[in-house]
Every structure is written in structure tokens, then in C-alpha cells.
Amino acid sequence: MAAALLFSIHLSLLLAVCNAASGNITAVIVFGDSSVDPGNNNQISTIAKSNFGPYGRDFPGGRPTGRFCNGRVATDFISDALGIKPEVPAYLDPAYSIKDFATGVSFASAATGYDNVTASVLNVIPIWKQLDYFREFIDKLRSYQGEAASMNTVSEALYVVSSGTNDFIENYYTMPTRQSQYKVDEYEDFVVGIAEGLIKQIYNLGGRRMSITGLPPMGCFPLERTMNLFFGSSCRDEYNQVALEFNGKMNATVEKLRFELPGSKLLYMDVYGIWMNAIDNPSSYGFENVEVACCATGMFEMGYMCNRLNPFTCQDANKYMFWDSFHPTQKTYHILADYFMNNSASLL
């Protein structure tokens, strides 16, 4: 309890400083996968959904929104910390309009990746379609705010891109197509190349401030530990090594583009280190369990297998790093948002 209180006080002080440093950010605009999808998949035909309990049980009002989490995700906390609004809405949610989207919107889709093949696995929204939605959003914004104001909103927004994990877990290591075409290091280059193209397209459409998130230690997801039972349910080192290699290439690409794109403010967000630190030192973050998830048995369930009828779901998700076998808890996302603000506010 004391640790949670100290963390809350630290976060409040930190966010106050970050608000002062980042007061001119107009909106938070998001591209990516389930780590930042607030419910776009609710509106498409796919099994990759989470718009049912116990998902969302710790969201304001206890409402399942389509976030693959027990509550809010990192981009919600970042938007809140910037003093913009407490949640970033899904672009396809009919409950919202351009008035709401003008200060923040997410085009993200759970189970997608940079690679179009990844999006096709579960019939979700590919990155190219997310870019189409962004173009559509700009047109709506121009009609709503006028030419000058809308261009200011677009140029002064913070763009968060969080994707790539599914390209490996859901696609490369699961489906035969890409493995037959690329060695894993070649596939890393292929995916980073797509990410580079996305950054350039956002820039060409007016975006200047971008945070590109690297891969977490995906070999330590509860699902991967379960698949590694033969080795005592430890992290899958091969997957973690790929994540590190990919992250090095992504970081180098972001550094290169920072100099190539005039006026851009590009940041590489290294989530791998803080994830591993929490896994190695759980008590420092107030976690009691970082190996299995809160929902159901915590070993392999996500999506429809993580439902309110399962009797094993934990009572207090704050003690867990993972909510389901693939996705973090709200508390973990809060920690990641804290890390982002602490390391990036002065550069925004």
C-alpha cells in the first residue's frame, strides 16, 4: 500500500512537470495494434475483440471498451498527463465525432502489424488502412476547424506508433509465408522498412512529433512461457533476442530520419528495458506476479477465452504485470506512460 502511494505521489509530481513542458501539444494521434487500440476492432468483422467483461472492469464505470486491458492503456495515460483528455477514442466508434477526435484519436487495430500479411491473419485493420483513416480525419478536421487551425492541430499533435509484436508472434513464427521468404534478420529489416515508410507518410501529411515504440521482451509473455513448458516456463530467449535486434534497427532508423526530415521531432521509445526491469525486480513496481496473467488461469487465455465466466481470474489486477496472456494490466501501462513522460517530455 505504501509503495502504491509513493508511486502515485511520484507520478502526480512527474506529470505536473511534464504538463508544463508539453503544453503546446494539440492532440494525441495513434497508430498500431492492441497495445493502443481503444476499440476499433469492435466495429469490424474479426475474432480479435475484447468488448466484454472482465475486460474493462477497472476502466471508469467498469465498462468494456474494446481495450485489451482491465482499464486504460498507455496512450490514454499519456493524453491525460499532457492535460488533453483522459482517454483517446477509437476512430471507428460511432459514439464519437470529429469534435472529440480533434484532440486525440486512435486508428489502431488489435492483432495488426506493420506487415499486411499480419493484418490478414485475423482480418483486422492494416497499417495502410490506418493511414487512409488518418487522411480522412484530416479532411474532416479541415471542415471542422478551418484550414489554418486544422494544419496547426496536425503539425503540433503527438503521434504514437506502437506495432511490430504481432508481426513476429502472430505471423512470422506462426504462419508459413514469411518464414519461407525471409530469414528472421531479413524479416526484421523488412518490417523496419515498412515502419520507416509509415513515419515518412505521417510526416508528408503534416505530422512532426512522433514517438515510435520498440518491441517488448515478447519471449516473456505468459503465452510464450506456457509454450516453453519443456524449459520450465522460462522466457523464450530466441524471441527476446529478436526483439533486441529489431529494436536496435528501429532506433537507428528513427535516428536517421530525424536528420532526413526537416523540422521533425522523432523519438524512439525503448520499452524493452523497463519491461525486463519489472520482470526481474517485480517488487520494485508493486507486482507479485509477472509470469502468469490475471485473467483466467493466466497461462494462455486472451480475447474470448478471457471472459467473466472463468472462475480463476484474480481479484486485484494491480498485483499482476499482465492482464491476459499477451497484454499488460492497466498498472503496467501506467508505468510505461510514466516512463515515456519522464524520458521524452523535454524533447516533445
Side-chain angles (χ1 to χ4, degrees):
M1 190 71 179
L5 179 59
L6 287 173
F7 175 78
S8 177
I9 293 171
H10 163 71
L11 186 63
S12 297
L13 291 173
L14 173 64
L15 297 187
V17 172
C18 293
N19 277 335
S22 311
N24 60 338
I25 291 177
T26 54
V28 176
I29 299 177
V30 186
F31 299 83
D33 56 24
S34 58
S35 61
V36 287
D37 179 5
N40 282 307
N41 278 18
N42 297 351
Q43 310 302 322
I44 63 175
S45 179
T46 178
I47 62 169
K49 297 190 185 215
S50 59
N51 56 340
F52 47 85
Y55 288 101
R57 74 178 193 188
D58 298 310
F59 193 83
R63 178 170 58 93
T65 61
R67 290 168 172 83
F68 278 77
C69 186
N70 58 305
R72 293 193 285 169
V73 296
T75 41
D76 296 319
F77 289 116
I78 290 169
S79 175
D80 203 3
L82 292 171
I84 298 176
K85 56 187 177 185
E87 293 104 31
V88 178
Y91 183 66
L92 298 184
D93 191 332
Y96 298 97
S97 68
I98 190 59
K99 179 180 179 180
D100 306 294
F101 300 147
T103 53
V105 60
S106 177
F107 307 107
S109 177
T112 201
Y114 289 111
D115 186 354
N116 287 339
V117 171
T118 305
S120 70
V121 174
L122 294 178
N123 191 37
V124 296
I125 305 168
I127 284 293
W128 68 262
K129 184 63 176 178
Q130 294 184 34
L131 271 168
D132 277 355
Y133 286 142
F134 179 47
R135 294 185 183 97
E136 182 181 83
F137 159 79
I138 292 174
D139 288 340
K140 292 179 179 178
L141 191 66
R142 187 177 292 114
S143 297
Y144 174 67
Q145 292 185 332
E147 183 71 26
S150 63
M151 288 302 96
N152 181 69
T153 295
V154 170
S155 65
E156 296 299 327
L158 169 64
Y159 295 82
V160 178
V161 180
S162 179
S163 192
T165 304
N166 294 320
D167 290 313
F168 293 93
I169 299 296
E170 180 186 313
N171 181 357
Y172 187 83
Y173 284 114
T174 304
M175 310 299 288
T177 302
R178 291 310 191 196
Q179 284 196 53
S180 68
Q181 297 172 327
Y182 301 99
K183 295 178 181 178
V184 68
D185 63 316
E186 295 171 338
Y187 187 64
E188 293 165 11
D189 295 337
F190 172 72
V191 174
V192 169
I194 299 171
E196 179 176 358
L198 172 65
I199 294 168
K200 289 178 177 178
Q201 290 191 67
I202 294 172
Y203 177 87
N204 290 337
L205 289 166
R208 292 296 181 266
R209 309 171 194 236
M210 299 180 222
S211 172
I212 315 302
T213 303
L215 300 186
M218 54 192 181
C220 293
F221 290 170
L223 177 63
E224 301 312 322
R225 289 179 183 268
T226 300
M227 299 290 286
N228 209 29
L229 281 173
F230 185 77
F231 294 98
S233 298
S234 60
C235 297
R236 300 184 76 167
D237 292 337
E238 177 191 0
Y239 287 12
N240 285 351
Q241 185 59 38
V242 166
L244 286 170
E245 292 171 359
F246 177 89
N247 289 346
K249 294 174 181 180
M250 184 68 82
N251 188 21
T253 297
V254 170
E255 288 288 331
K256 180 190 71 168
L257 291 176
R258 184 181 297 125
F259 293 100
E260 290 182 1
L261 302 177
S264 66
K265 294 183 178 180
L266 305 182
L267 304 172
Y268 168 73
M269 170 68 168
D270 177 23
V271 296
Y272 189 100
I274 190 169
W275 276 61
M276 281 306 299
N277 192 43
I279 289 168
D280 293 337
N281 306 283
S283 61
S284 298
Y285 295 86
F287 293 128
E288 294 182 7
N289 199 316
V290 296
E291 296 182 3
V292 300
C294 171
C295 193
T297 67
M299 298 177 69
F300 60 87
E301 298 92 344
M302 61 178 138
Y304 289 110
M305 289 188 291
C306 171
N307 62 70
R308 66 172 78 249
L309 299 179
N310 197 298
F312 301 110
T313 298
C314 76
Q315 295 298 310
D316 184 1
N318 286 333
K319 296 178 180 179
Y320 287 72
M321 185 173 183
F322 291 92
W323 166 248
D324 65 20
S325 66
F326 201 81
H327 303 98
T329 56
Q330 173 177 254
K331 178 177 177 179
T332 305
Y333 279 128
H334 208 165
I335 291 169
L336 293 172
D338 177 10
Y339 177 81
F340 172 83
M341 297 301 297
N342 189 32
N343 287 274
S344 304
S346 62
L347 303 174
L348 296 175

